[in-house]
Amino acid sequence: QAAPGKEETLLTVCETGLGKRTAFTEYPAHGRGGAGVINVSTKKAGKVVALVPVREGDELILLTVGGKVIRTAVNTIPVIGRNTRGVKLISLGEDDRLVSVARVTEESASGGQEPGPKGVLPVTKKGEETEESEDILESSKEQPPPPEGEDY
């Protein structure tokens, strides 16, 4: 496994909407049988929803159980210590909780590819379109809509 880049930080996001970025250097390497290290106190922050390596130019899409979706820039989240709760990334209602986080990289946001049907990008190998991906994209455009009253 390759070591993370110097510009990358580890994003930790919890179900209560709290999150933080921490430098990878904050996590010491342990040998076999190590006891591990504390990343976040889950007593107040709640369960960890995502641990994602991120870069300054990336963006995040946050999704809650109640269907609330927001998009935010990674550079708005401070880089802070390892054993801290973090900052509020999203305001949640009393019964709502964060369930998913997606990273949007600069490359995927401006990759030049147009989304296919239902926002799906064509299949690629090593970032290059293949003949199969073009065939899949074209054939999916030719499919008739579903009959009335039926879902996919």
Side-chain angles (χ1 to χ4, degrees), residues 37-111:
V37 293
I38 295 174
N39 180 36
V40 65
S41 172
T42 57
K43 289 180 183 172
K44 292 184 181 177
K47 294 179 182 175
V48 174
V49 173
L51 290 168
V52 184
V54 294
R55 296 179 181 191
E56 279 295 315
D58 294 347
E59 292 183 332
L60 302 172
I61 298 176
L62 307 171
L63 176 68
T64 71
V65 167
K68 189 176 189 178
V69 178
I70 67 162
R71 185 172 180 158
T72 187
V74 165
N75 61 5
T76 63
I77 304 167
V79 177
I80 55 180
R82 181 176 49 81
N83 193 11
T84 55
R85 278 189 290 170
V87 297
K88 185 189 287 189
L89 301 179
I90 185 171
S91 297
L92 300 172
E94 195 172 309
D95 295 330
D96 208 2
R97 62 185 165 84
L98 194 62
V99 291
S100 184
V101 177
R103 183 180 87 164
V104 180
T105 63
E106 287 179 345
E107 295 85 27
S108 66
S110 64

